[in-house]
Amino acid sequence: MSNTTTKRVPWRDTSLTPAERADALLSHMTLEEKTAQLIGVWVGASADGAEVAPHQHEMNEPPDLEALLPNGLGQLTRPFGTKPVDAGAGALSLMRTQERIAGSNRFGIPAMAHEECLAGFAAWGATAYPVPLAWGATFNPDLVRRMAGAIGEDMRRVGIHQGLAPVLDVVRDARWGRVEETIGEDPYLVGTVATAYIQGLEQAGVVATLKHFAGYSASRAGRNLAPVSMGPREFADVILPPFEMAVRESGVRSVMHAYTDTDGVPSAADHSLLTGLLRDTWGFEGTVVADYFGIGFLQDLHGVAGSRGEAAAAALHAGVDVELPTVDAYGEHLLAELGAGRVDPSLVDAAARRVLLQKIGLGLLDEDWSPVPEALAAGARDLDTVQSTVNLDPPENRKLARELAEESVVLLSNNGTLPLQSPRRIAVVGPNAENPMAFLGCYSFPAHVGSQFPDISAGIELPTVGCSLAVEFPESSIEYVPGCGIDDPDPSGIAAAVAAAQGADVVIAVLGDRAGLFGRGTSGEGCDVESLVLPGVQQQLLDALLETGTPVVTVLLTGRPYALGQAASRSAAVVQAFFPGEEGGPAIARVLSGAANPSGRLPVSVPATPGGQPAGYLAAPLAGPTEVSSIDPTPAFGFGHGLSYTQFAWDSLSVESTETSTAGEAAAALTVTNTGERDGVEVVQLYLHDPVASVVRPVQRLIGYARVPLRAGEAARVRFTVPADVASFTGVDGQRRVEPGELELRFGASSTDIRLSTGITLTGPVRSVDHTRRLHCGVDVTAP
């Protein structure tokens, strides 16, 4: 490194505040050195059309590192997640790259390295956990927090500083391909689970990134990157609350803007969103990073900029600090705008200061900073000896992945066939029965990157459902027939599947999706659908199996909910698993055998018919069935639904006060008893119904929940303290308010299975509230 870095300079003095250190460094930097902190580079990315980002082959130019590095570098893009690389070798390569970066600029500043981590660290050989939709199905933020902590520790050990997760988009249309990346269709569930994930990642020392801010999931007709047509109240009350909760409670240090435009304003150029709301109102102090190529899209896709320089100026003014994944608009184009006086240099100072503060917080400017990652700290420094020295899928990770997978499996229906009682002959049918990739979402490494390298193994063990059933039922005779492909239109294999079913005691039909990107899958980014019918001829296969009269257990491995038609009621049982990760096969087998009692609950409604979208539960009265429309959007299975192998009784509802002020709180409690013969988990869900308000409100919305494990015969008293703040909404004037009047608290096993309810009255004047309001009900679970 240069002589400047060996002297005791203020920006390396840990006795000073981070702000003092950042300001001291900024005062010595040139404009070129400051803008260099606002860019990333993506070394080794494909430019031949096999993209993992929109328009990658059009937007990606190989960076000129010799020209860039003397001024420094803000970010390194996906050093592990671009091509399959052994974890130890990758850590060594990243170490050498950081040495080069820090040694090339006069201040010795290394880059931040970021990776995807939506369903686990997106690196070859790393644990593939369930996708976020499965996290939502667990209704268990504590478990998700533990998972995120494990992901963060693995990333930090090999030198990664930032993870591009989680997704806080609220599902508005299940046809959207990225439903698998979301946590569900309810803002409160999304907010609580996502906040827990962020806390786990941040506590492990890795910067989490909220995305996609904001409105991305509400694109027209569920088409990826389509315009968003949404009023300000829906935006404020449905889309923004999860982000607000995360900013307030999680310690998150980065936010990624959305690709989409809302009512004609692209998020990347929306000053009122990225600065006015996020920073000035909510007080966010971290960095805002661009979604990949999103700044260039202001010119190429949105048409609100006539050049890359104009795009850079618009994004920087809006509040985008860092351009990802590689240098484009924020390079020479931004410098040209600055030189021409069309961009205020203070905007560069503010963005660079935020980047430097983040690097200081990560210890990258400390005097004792070392480029050697923790995983290699006591190891060798040559390629031959670091190969396979770093294990990113240890037994403790797989155990955690199994726990998450089991808790995320949702039993939708069951006529008593499950759990299976060691059937003599099992026909295992369906395109996902022996498909090891059937458990992985599109942002898992094997699907996201590995699919482009078919000659290289997945790097992790992926036991199939068929293999797992053989382990779970060693005395059973198992015959496997695929029946059809995932999205292959050829029905010729159905006859063989029917024959197998006719000779069996039970059929396990394993159906669903193939995760991929931009049309390479049936679920995933850019894999939107016109209708929520199973891909290919899978519905035809299922219908044919049901006609045999043999009991059919339908197992769905999907990234979104699908309408099964009459097959939903005709199946002996329906088991839903949203891409449950590398341990999904054993988890499903254990649920089918009864070794695991299912406790997952639906984070999204399952439609009864494949059309009529969007039809989520969080909707106004007119969104439900009416006598003036021939379309009935009533779901087959509602949000929050899920069965167990035991039974629960709900009773003894009490309310401590039926009246409170618009600034007060109410409390209600009920007793839940496991009346069955085996241990199980009930998920108590609290919904709020506001029958009369100054603007149209959803029929009901989730405001609290409790996951209650109970032994056979055991009871628990579940008490919710409900602050009036949770009844707030955005009024006609655009301000959030709590109104006096009658409310109803509904306690349900799902949004369509309300067990108990009680009324409360809010008294006093209309009360205005803001981002400091209370966001949660208090929940206490005790012995009755």
Side-chain angles (χ1 to χ4, degrees):
M1 299 181 189
S2 65
N3 291 335
T4 307
T5 66
T6 61
K7 296 186 296 183
R8 187 170 181 80
V9 289
W11 51 86
R12 296 193 182 278
D13 186 351
T14 55
S15 69
L16 299 178
T17 67
E20 290 171 332
R21 294 171 66 185
D23 290 339
L25 180 51
L26 274 174
S27 70
H28 286 77
M29 297 175 77
T30 66
L31 193 57
E32 289 78 10
E33 288 168 332
K34 293 172 185 176
T35 57
Q37 292 301 311
L38 312 186
I39 61 173
V41 297
W42 195 0
V43 179
S46 171
D48 62 3
E51 67 265 9
V52 296
H55 300 272
Q56 178 182 321
H57 61 292
E58 300 168 7
M59 305 283 287
N60 192 54
E61 291 289 339
D64 183 354
L65 293 178
E66 295 303 322
L68 291 173
L69 292 189
N71 286 321
L73 182 64
Q75 290 250 0
L76 272 173
T77 293
R78 297 171 62 151
F80 289 83
T82 299
K83 295 179 180 178
V85 58
D86 173 85
L92 179 62
S93 175
L94 178 56
M95 178 193 78
R96 292 172 176 169
T97 301
Q98 290 283 39
E99 288 175 334
R100 181 185 177 192
I101 292 169
S104 296
N105 69 84
R106 65 193 182 105
F107 300 106
I109 308 173
M112 285 179 59
H114 75 258
E115 284 289 356
E116 300 285 357
C117 57
L118 192 64
F121 180 15
W124 186 82
T127 304
Y129 292 95
V131 298
L133 199 58
W135 312 346
T138 70
F139 276 69
N140 191 342
D142 291 338
L143 183 57
V144 172
R145 186 181 295 109
R146 285 172 49 206
M147 174 197 69
I151 293 170
E153 289 178 9
D154 285 340
M155 296 172 75
R156 191 198 68 243
R157 285 193 305 121
V158 295
I160 299 300
H161 306 107
Q162 181 169 358
L164 302 187
V167 169
L168 285 83
D169 298 308
V170 178
V171 175
R172 302 303 281 164
D173 190 328
R175 294 174 297 182
W176 190 47
R178 303 191 78 166
V179 167
E180 64 174 73
E181 300 178 43
T182 74
I183 294 167
E185 69 183 27
D186 179 84
Y188 188 73
L189 179 66
V190 172
T192 51
V193 173
T195 296
Y197 177 94
I198 298 159
Q199 290 167 342
L201 204 67
E202 290 279 357
Q203 288 164 10
V206 173
V207 175
T209 309
L210 309 186
K211 60 185 193 183
H212 306 86
F213 192 63
Y216 187 34
S217 58
S219 54
R220 291 179 190 166
R223 293 180 59 248
N224 192 49
L225 225 164
V228 174
S229 301
M230 177 179 286
R233 273 180 293 281
E234 183 180 358
F235 195 79
D237 291 348
V238 177
I239 299 299
L240 291 179
F243 292 96
E244 182 182 10
M245 185 184 296
V247 168
R248 286 181 55 181
E249 299 179 358
S250 71
V252 66
R253 287 179 282 177
S254 194
V255 171
M256 175 181 281
H257 75 71
Y259 280 136
T260 43
D261 68 83
T262 301
D263 196 23
V265 181
S267 295
D270 192 343
H271 181 272
S272 66
L273 179 71
L274 301 182
T275 298
L277 178 65
L278 180 64
R279 298 192 187 283
D280 297 344
T281 300
W282 291 351
F284 177 69
E285 297 181 345
T287 58
V288 173
V289 301
D291 203 345
Y292 282 15
F293 309 114
I295 297 175
F297 288 169
L298 294 177
Q299 177 187 1
D300 295 348
L301 301 184
H302 294 294
V304 297
S307 67
R308 281 297 190 269
E310 290 182 6
L316 191 64
H317 175 262
V320 180
D321 299 314
V322 180
E323 180 176 35
L324 299 180
T326 199
V327 59
D328 180 25
Y330 274 15
E332 61 185 28
H333 301 291
L334 176 56
L335 287 169
E337 294 295 304
L338 287 160
R342 290 188 291 269
V343 172
D344 186 344
S346 67
L347 294 175
V348 174
D349 287 349
R353 187 176 188 271
R354 287 188 283 262
V355 171
L356 293 175
L357 281 170
Q358 200 154 90
K359 291 188 175 185
I360 289 167
L362 291 164
L364 300 184
L365 293 182
D366 293 353
E367 285 187 346
D368 60 354
W369 173 78
S370 169
V372 182
E374 181 182 315
L376 300 181
R381 298 293 181 270
D382 62 274
L383 185 61
D384 290 339
T385 53
V386 299
Q387 294 273 12
S388 302
T389 60
V390 181
N391 184 4
L392 295 179
D393 190 31
E396 57 268 27
N397 281 16
R398 295 197 72 99
K399 181 181 178 182
L400 183 56
R402 171 82 67 90
E403 189 175 354
L404 267 153
E406 288 186 0
E407 289 198 8
S408 72
V409 174
V410 184
L411 180 61
L412 296 182
S413 66
N414 183 23
N415 68 2
T417 298
L418 295 183
L420 297 175
Q421 304 298 319
S422 299
R424 186 166 58 90
R425 297 169 301 176
I426 303 175
V428 179
V429 176
N432 274 339
E434 288 292 353
N435 178 10
M437 295 291 288
F439 314 104
L440 306 183
C442 76
Y443 268 78
S444 67
F445 185 88
H448 198 69
V449 177
S451 60
Q452 300 173 42
F453 300 88
D455 296 332
I456 297 177
S457 72
I460 52 177
E461 292 185 19
L462 296 167
T464 66
V465 172
C467 291
S468 301
L469 288 170
V471 172
E472 200 68 23
F473 299 100
E475 303 301 320
S476 300
S477 171
I478 298 178
E479 180 181 4
Y480 163 65
V481 180
C484 66
I486 292 172
D487 54 351
D488 189 337
D490 181 11
S492 61
I494 293 178
V498 167
Q502 290 171 332
D505 298 312
V506 66
V507 178
I508 310 296
V510 190
L511 312 173
D513 279 318
R514 178 184 66 256
L517 289 95
F518 308 115
R520 300 194 292 269
T522 62
S523 173
E525 185 174 358
C527 298
D528 314 314
V529 295
E530 296 178 357
S531 173
L532 295 178
V533 64
L534 283 167
V537 296
Q538 293 185 67
Q539 184 69 51
Q540 187 176 340
L541 169 65
L542 179 57
D543 290 342
L545 294 172
L546 291 168
E547 288 297 323
T548 66
T550 304
V552 176
V553 175
T554 301
V555 176
L556 301 170
L557 293 168
T558 69
R560 61 163 63 86
Y562 284 104
L564 300 180
Q566 293 186 357
S569 57
R570 295 179 61 196
S571 296
V574 180
V575 175
Q576 173 69 65
F578 296 110
F579 289 143
E582 64 183 28
E583 284 290 318
I588 289 168
R590 284 172 50 80
V591 166
L592 297 182
S593 73
N597 192 352
S599 61
R601 301 294 186 267
L602 283 175
V604 286
S605 304
V606 174
T609 59
Q613 288 295 304
Y617 100 95
L618 192 69
L622 287 180
T626 71
E627 60 185 17
V628 296
S629 173
S630 58
I631 296 175
D632 184 352
T634 302
F637 305 101
F639 172 85
H641 171 76
L643 303 179
S644 171
Y645 293 147
T646 190
Q647 298 80 43
F648 300 95
W650 297 37
D651 55 34
S652 303
L653 175 63
S654 65
V655 183
E656 295 177 13
S657 174
T658 59
E659 187 175 293
T660 188
S661 75
T662 54
E665 64 181 26
L670 69 156
T671 299
V672 179
T673 306
N674 183 345
T675 59
E677 298 180 353
R678 60 177 297 167
D679 300 350
V681 174
E682 181 67 298
V683 178
V684 178
Q685 301 159 42
L686 174 58
Y687 295 89
L688 179 69
H689 172 58
D690 188 349
V692 179
S694 58
V695 299
V696 176
R697 304 297 298 133
V699 173
Q700 60 185 0
R701 60 186 177 90
L702 186 74
I703 60 171
Y705 59 89
R707 187 179 170 92
V708 185
L710 293 170
R711 295 188 297 272
E714 186 179 17
R717 190 75 175 161
V718 184
R719 181 179 185 271
F720 289 89
T721 304
V722 184
D725 284 7
V726 303
S728 68
F729 58 86
T730 302
V732 174
D733 59 359
Q735 301 301 307
R736 184 170 288 277
R737 56 201 276 138
V738 181
E739 295 183 346
E742 305 296 322
L743 298 174
E744 184 179 337
L745 301 179
R746 297 176 172 179
F747 298 86
S750 77
S751 60
T752 53
D753 184 9
I754 302 300
R755 303 288 179 85
L756 300 167
S757 64
T758 186
I760 61 170
T761 302
L762 299 185
T763 62
V766 172
R767 175 170 160 261
S768 295
V769 295
D770 59 17
H771 63 284
T772 63
R773 71 193 183 281
R774 295 170 68 180
L775 301 178
H776 302 276
C777 296
V779 183
D780 294 297
V781 181
T782 59

